[in-house]
Structures are given as C-alpha cells and as structure tokens.
Amino acid sequence: MAKVEPIPVVLVTEPGQLLALDAGTVLLRLPANSGHGHPDGQHCLACATRTDVRALLYDLLEEVKRGMRPAFTRVIVDASALPDPSVVVAALTGKLPAQALRDHSVARLFYLADAA
C-alpha cells in the first residue's frame, strides 16, 4: 500500500490576502453566515455545516475518491469572513475533540502549514 503524504492547509484570516492558486490547490471559503437573518458570528445548524472545516476537507477527499474532482496537493482555507478564525485553527491542530470518524481521517491526512 502506498504511503499517503499529508496535505498542507494554508489558513487565510485577513481580508484581501491573496495567495497563488495552481492546478493542485483547492480553495475553500468559509462564510460569516449564510444570510439566515441572524447576526454575523452566530450560527444556526445550516451555517455550522458550511463552516465546519473538518467536514469540508473530508468532503474534498470523498469527491476525489468518487472521481468528482481531480486529486489535489494543497488546500487554502479563506476564513477572513469569520469573526473568530481560532475555531478553524483549533480544528486543524487537533485542539477540538473529534466528533466523527471523518475528523480522525482529516487529522491524519491534513495539517495546518501556515496561517496568513
């Protein structure tokens, strides 16, 4: 069985920060909220699923497995719209408890390489 190399994740926390994208890079944008009428920073269940970085990274892996997207070598997570991106950092560094098997998969296959 071939060894799978961990995939670096770069976190963007400042609005307007630009990073170069190439064919091997996936960009995930985390919205402040989805426009459900609640203030920015407050989450309903629907918003929580759109900002759960571990779920989004796992979905990327599943899409590659199913042939829905090409393989990738890096992920950029744009969290600049979030009022507190520290939750994303905690999720990517293992400081949030794993809630599901997908969280363990993401912890093994992704690592926080940089926060810009």
Side-chain angles (χ1 to χ4, degrees):
M1 178 184 255
K3 181 182 176 196
V4 177
E5 291 296 319
I7 300 168
V9 176
V10 176
L11 181 64
V12 175
T13 58
E14 295 295 321
Q17 178 78 28
L18 298 176
L19 295 174
L21 299 177
D22 57 33
T25 301
V26 174
L27 174 64
L28 292 176
R29 290 200 175 159
L30 305 180
N33 73 43
S34 62
H36 293 149
H38 53 74
D40 284 353
Q42 291 184 359
H43 292 285
C44 63
L45 185 58
C47 291
T49 61
R50 294 184 62 208
T51 59
D52 182 345
V53 71
R54 293 186 298 196
L56 294 170
L57 290 171
Y58 184 78
D59 289 347
L60 289 175
L61 293 173
E62 288 298 306
E63 289 171 4
V64 170
K65 267 196 226 177
R66 293 182 179 139
M68 299 167 62
R69 81 165 42 250
F72 53 91
T73 57
R74 180 175 77 142
V75 177
I76 295 176
V77 176
D78 181 355
S80 62
L82 297 180
D84 183 12
S86 67
V87 175
V88 178
V89 172
L92 293 171
T93 58
K95 296 203 170 44
L96 285 183
Q99 300 295 320
L101 180 60
R102 68 157 196 253
D103 297 344
H104 294 288
S105 297
V106 167
R108 281 192 314 275
L109 297 172
F110 294 93
Y111 69 95
L112 181 60
D114 193 16

